[in-house]
Amino acid sequence: MTKAPSRARPKTVADVARAANVSKATAARVLGGYGVVSDTVRASVTAAAKALDYRPNELARSMTTGRSDIIGVVVGDIENPFFSLAVRGISDAAKAAGFNVILANSGEKIEAEKAAVRLLIGKRVDGLIVTPSESRDITHLRDIHRSGRPLALLDRALPELDVDTVTVDDREAAIRATRVLIDAGHRNIAYVTAVEGNGHEYFDLRQIYTSSVRERIDGFLAACRDAGIDRPERHVRLGATSFEETRRLADELLSSSERPTAILASDSVIALEILRAIRQRGMRIPDDISLITFHDADWTGVTTPPITVVDQPVYALGHTVAELLIRRLKGDIKPPERLVLRTAIINRGSVGPPPVMW
Amino acid sequence: MTKAPSRARPKTVADVARAANVSKATAARVLGGYGVVSDTVRASVTAAAKALDYRPNELARSMTTGRSDIIGVVVGDIENPFFSLAVRGISDAAKAAGFNVILANSGEKIEAEKAAVRLLIGKRVDGLIVTPSESRDITHLRDIHRSGRPLALLDRALPELDVDTVTVDDREAAIRATRVLIDAGHRNIAYVTAVEGNGHEYFDLRQIYTSSVRERIDGFLAACRDAGIDRPERHVRLGATSFEETRRLADELLSSSERPTAILASDSVIALEILRAIRQRGMRIPDDISLITFHDADWTGVTTPPITVVDQPVYALGHTVAELLIRRLKGDIKPPERLVLRTAIINRGSVGPPPVMW
């Protein structure tokens, strides 16, 4: 085995200049490929750079060209297939326009989101795409915007931050999914969602600081009330933010005396855990309980029965938000756009009439 | 709607110096928090920085401290749950040690991998973790190593690059999984893997340039030969690199006159597509065909029947490689380690005896 090389300080233009015995300005001209120098000088600077294993400092270069050609992306949870698919949409659009993408994860925590934004800004990305984890604390996002760096929001809107934003029709989607359950005869429907809350109880829309979550709860409640369902709020469950929390919450729901006959899950990670809890109790879908989830995740089509889903245009969401950002990077100064993409229900086999209670 | 702000050039130390009417060196001392300046000068520089919305240039700072506290990670395919789970392992270890992580995707293409490495090096990450997409072209990885920046390899070893490496016991895992099928009575077993090849035919181990893929094929063939199976190579299928390719390949296998009675899939993305192809033909698992896959992906436990898997310690893989890298970043100069983590078979319901052929 060879020894690990000792940690060397990266070589700078000044090091190259010294080795080539020219001024720093001259070395910079050669290394940066601008200005006029003699062939002899060019040759000796190039040789020195090679000997020193000099690597152009991307930041210095970006300070000259004004561009790093990098888009920074901060997503909520890269392990959630929703986000990894959206990131593919972003990457494809970026690549097509000659941009690279670097990615940081917020874990849906506002402090981590701020740190990720600081990190990417510090790395002088040209622009940022963020899925804001909440709307209460957005100073860091305002700062990006104020600095003149384009910012675009993915999946979640911020009413108070007027930047390019691409979301889906969350309220409408929740209404449609809830109606599928109501039309099948359900009156006792639970909605389970991932937002952080004080406990799992829902009190008021004003306690929800993520636009997509709020819109969906609002849609769910509207559809229930429209069908004359009494106090639908009692079956909204917040805080499904980890496997453990989701499992606890599902167990609670399934063992309660007011057990719902149908569940609508706000994402496929939550739905999978609910499915496991349902099966572990020996309950059958849809005979004992119906289930619909947001996001057409890979597994939803291969379970028995396959799961009815709200199909979100996730790839398009990522692709579109990247295109909007790239337009800004190319100098477009039109007013910000707020695009809302359409979702659709894919009816599979997880919805049936409520069980007859004896 | 407000107008998008015009694109402003990021402010530099020189801008702050000019505004505060001090030398650049003095401004740098105040902004960098080193050296001695008077309180008056400090106050005026700070005020100017604030007025100009000056943001410290992370690169310049890292040139001073020698550290950016960032680990760069280049993975093959962030949409593959194997990699997103490994990245969580990396992120958790990094966070615990005070490092941030930025991520770039290679899409398993060597050119994209090189670009990603260049990008992250240019951004002056302290060290890199890479899942090398192949072993033929590793100049870019040698360059990282030579520059004195620590490099660690995740999931795939490079015999010619002696750096910290964490893999799993791929050959052993393939032997054990193949034996499960042999023990159930199968003699006609296919192995389907994702590596790029010239077509889907397998000729020789020397055509495989990814260590994990090569090790697994080697293990599969060894187990088959050990059981006296004739020409097991004929059922090794390469090139399952996309949904479309995997589907084409699965359809080919399932319609061939020498149709295998069991399939071993090299990852869960491939296995899911094979499962879909099996079902679409109205075939039943395990009655008509048996299936085992590498990676205990979320869906494998919820299908009917649930799928037997090779359970890889994916989170630990990421966590361990990050710990090795961080040790280097802290100055450890011990010889590189090559750790091999153990896998296990989780027996579920997708393996049965081969169907009786009439």
Side-chain angles (χ1 to χ4, degrees):
Chain A
M1 286 196 283
T2 58
K3 261 198 148 175
S6 66
R7 190 86 197 287
R9 180 179 61 84
K11 293 300 184 288
T12 63
V13 174
D15 296 324
V16 175
R18 207 171 301 121
N21 205 17
V22 299
S23 73
K24 202 174 145 187
T26 302
R29 275 198 296 277
V30 175
L31 298 169
Y34 59 91
V36 181
V37 293
S38 75
D39 287 351
T40 328
V41 166
R42 182 180 313 280
S44 76
V45 170
T46 310
K50 200 167 170 200
L52 289 172
D53 197 19
Y54 166 80
R55 275 147 197 289
N57 170 330
E58 292 289 336
L59 170 54
R61 189 150 69 192
S62 79
M63 294 299 280
T64 309
T65 66
R67 279 275 284 269
S68 66
D69 290 334
I70 299 172
I71 293 172
V73 178
V74 181
V75 294
D77 173 14
I78 195 62
E79 268 193 277
N80 186 324
F82 176 91
F83 287 115
S84 50
L85 180 53
V87 166
R88 180 151 60 88
I90 291 172
S91 298
D92 287 353
K95 203 170 167 189
F99 286 86
N100 289 297
V101 169
I102 56 181
L103 197 62
N105 205 32
S106 77
E108 302 287 8
K109 305 276 186 209
I110 184 71
E111 288 311 321
E113 177 183 315
K114 287 180 179 182
V117 164
R118 265 199 309 273
L119 183 71
L120 294 175
I121 292 279
K123 292 296 160 197
R124 306 256 165 182
V125 294
D126 287 337
L128 275 112
I129 295 171
V130 178
T131 55
S133 56
E134 61 157 276
S135 59
R136 273 175 303 184
D137 190 353
I138 59 168
T139 327
H140 57 299
L141 300 178
R142 282 192 200 285
D143 282 352
I144 301 172
H145 190 51
R146 275 202 352 239
S147 79
R149 251 184 215 91
L151 164 70
L153 303 181
L154 170 70
D155 187 50
R156 298 160 191 176
L158 292 170
E160 293 172 12
L161 193 62
D162 202 18
V163 299
D164 291 322
T165 301
V166 186
T167 56
V168 299
D169 57 358
D170 286 296
R171 188 170 184 278
E172 285 310 303
I175 289 177
R176 269 180 273 130
T178 308
R179 280 203 188 132
V180 168
L181 297 168
I182 290 168
D183 290 348
H186 296 274
R187 312 280 302 166
N188 189 354
I189 307 167
Y191 181 69
V192 182
T193 183
V195 80
E196 296 273 0
N198 291 323
H200 296 157
E201 294 294 321
Y202 167 82
F203 303 105
D204 192 306
L205 276 184
R206 280 168 298 182
Q207 97 195 80
I208 311 293
Y209 300 102
T210 306
S211 70
S212 55
V213 177
R214 195 171 47 236
E215 295 282 306
R216 289 178 189 181
I217 294 176
D218 192 32
F220 167 74
L221 295 175
C224 288
R225 288 194 188 115
D226 210 43
I229 292 172
D230 184 41
R231 291 189 305 120
E233 306 80 17
R234 74 205 144 107
H235 274 335
V236 174
R237 285 292 184 287
L238 314 177
T241 51
S242 68
F243 288 116
E244 297 73 22
E245 285 298 310
T246 306
R247 174 53 73 103
R248 193 171 316 151
L249 208 148
D251 284 338
E252 220 174 87
L253 267 180
L254 296 174
S255 62
S256 95
S257 58
E258 280 198 314
R259 186 167 96 190
T261 60
I263 298 178
L264 176 57
S266 74
D267 72 42
S268 66
V269 179
I270 293 175
L272 185 59
E273 213 45 41
I274 291 175
L275 176 74
R276 290 201 179 106
I278 289 172
R279 291 202 176 165
Q280 207 169 306
R281 289 171 176 266
M283 293 169 69
R284 288 156 311 158
I285 297 175
D287 308 48
D288 300 316
I289 192 160
S290 292
L291 179 64
I292 298 183
T293 184
F294 276 80
H295 189 49
D296 182 27
D298 53 12
W299 64 267
T300 57
V302 294
T303 49
T304 311
I307 309 295
T308 295
V309 300
V310 176
D311 186 22
Q312 300 163 290
V314 184
Y315 178 86
L317 206 59
H319 204 271
T320 309
V321 77
E323 284 181 333
L324 289 183
L325 187 77
I326 289 162
R327 227 173 56 182
R328 296 283 168 212
L329 291 172
K330 292 188 169 161
D332 186 333
I333 53 159
K334 278 200 291 251
E337 290 206 48
R338 289 175 179 258
L339 298 181
V340 179
L341 306 187
R342 295 272 301 163
T343 58
I345 303 279
I346 301 178
N347 284 298
R348 295 198 177 115
S350 63
V351 176
V356 181
M357 299 294 188
W358 304 101
Chain B
M1 287 199 281
T2 59
K3 260 197 149 178
S6 67
R7 189 85 197 288
R9 179 179 60 85
K11 293 301 185 285
T12 63
V13 174
D15 296 325
V16 175
R18 207 171 303 121
N21 206 16
V22 301
S23 73
K24 202 175 146 186
T26 301
R29 275 200 295 277
V30 175
L31 297 169
Y34 58 92
V36 182
V37 294
S38 75
D39 287 351
T40 326
V41 166
R42 183 180 313 281
S44 76
V45 170
T46 310
K50 200 169 170 200
L52 290 171
D53 197 18
Y54 165 81
R55 275 145 197 289
N57 170 331
E58 291 290 336
L59 170 54
R61 189 149 70 193
S62 78
M63 294 298 281
T64 310
T65 65
R67 278 276 284 269
S68 66
D69 289 335
I70 299 173
I71 294 173
V73 178
V74 181
V75 294
D77 173 14
I78 195 62
E79 269 192 276
N80 187 323
F82 176 91
F83 287 115
S84 49
L85 181 53
V87 166
R88 179 150 61 89
I90 292 172
S91 298
D92 287 353
K95 203 171 166 186
F99 286 86
N100 290 297
V101 169
I102 57 181
L103 196 64
N105 205 33
S106 77
E108 302 287 7
K109 305 276 186 210
I110 185 71
E111 289 311 321
E113 177 183 315
K114 287 180 178 184
V117 164
R118 264 199 309 272
L119 183 72
L120 294 175
I121 293 278
K123 292 296 160 197
R124 306 257 166 183
V125 295
D126 287 337
L128 275 111
I129 296 171
V130 178
T131 55
S133 56
E134 61 157 276
S135 59
R136 274 176 303 185
D137 191 353
I138 60 168
T139 327
H140 58 300
L141 300 178
R142 281 192 200 286
D143 282 354
I144 301 172
H145 190 51
R146 275 201 353 237
S147 79
R149 250 183 215 92
L151 164 69
L153 303 181
L154 170 70
D155 186 49
R156 298 159 192 177
L158 292 170
E160 293 172 12
L161 192 62
D162 202 17
V163 298
D164 291 321
T165 301
V166 186
T167 56
V168 299
D169 57 357
D170 285 297
R171 189 172 183 277
E172 285 309 304
I175 289 177
R176 269 180 273 129
T178 309
R179 279 202 189 133
V180 169
L181 296 168
I182 290 168
D183 290 347
H186 296 275
R187 311 282 300 167
N188 189 354
I189 306 167
Y191 181 68
V192 182
T193 182
V195 81
E196 296 273 0
N198 290 324
H200 297 157
E201 294 295 322
Y202 166 83
F203 303 105
D204 191 306
L205 276 185
R206 281 169 298 183
Q207 98 195 79
I208 310 293
Y209 300 103
T210 306
S211 70
S212 55
V213 177
R214 194 172 46 237
E215 295 282 305
R216 290 179 190 180
I217 294 177
D218 193 32
F220 167 75
L221 295 175
C224 287
R225 289 193 187 114
D226 210 44
I229 292 172
D230 184 41
R231 291 189 305 118
E233 306 79 18
R234 74 205 142 105
H235 275 334
V236 174
R237 285 293 184 286
L238 314 177
T241 51
S242 67
F243 287 115
E244 296 73 23
E245 285 299 309
T246 305
R247 174 52 72 103
R248 194 171 315 152
L249 210 148
D251 283 339
E252 221 174 270
L253 268 180
L254 296 175
S255 61
S256 96
S257 59
E258 281 198 313
R259 186 168 94 190
T261 60
I263 298 178
L264 177 57
S266 74
D267 72 41
S268 66
V269 179
I270 293 174
L272 186 59
E273 212 47 40
I274 291 175
L275 175 75
R276 289 201 179 107
I278 290 172
R279 291 203 176 166
Q280 207 170 307
R281 288 170 177 267
M283 292 169 70
R284 288 155 311 157
I285 298 176
D287 309 48
D288 300 317
I289 192 160
S290 292
L291 178 64
I292 298 183
T293 184
F294 277 79
H295 190 50
D296 183 25
D298 53 12
W299 65 267
T300 57
V302 294
T303 50
T304 311
I307 308 296
T308 295
V309 299
V310 177
D311 186 22
Q312 301 162 290
V314 185
Y315 178 87
L317 206 60
H319 204 272
T320 309
V321 78
E323 284 180 333
L324 290 182
L325 187 78
I326 290 162
R327 227 173 56 181
R328 296 284 167 210
L329 291 173
K330 291 187 169 163
D332 187 334
I333 54 160
K334 278 201 291 252
E337 289 206 49
R338 289 174 179 260
L339 298 181
V340 179
L341 306 187
R342 296 271 301 161
T343 58
I345 303 279
I346 300 179
N347 285 298
R348 296 198 177 115
S350 62
V351 177
V356 181
M357 299 294 189
W358 303 101

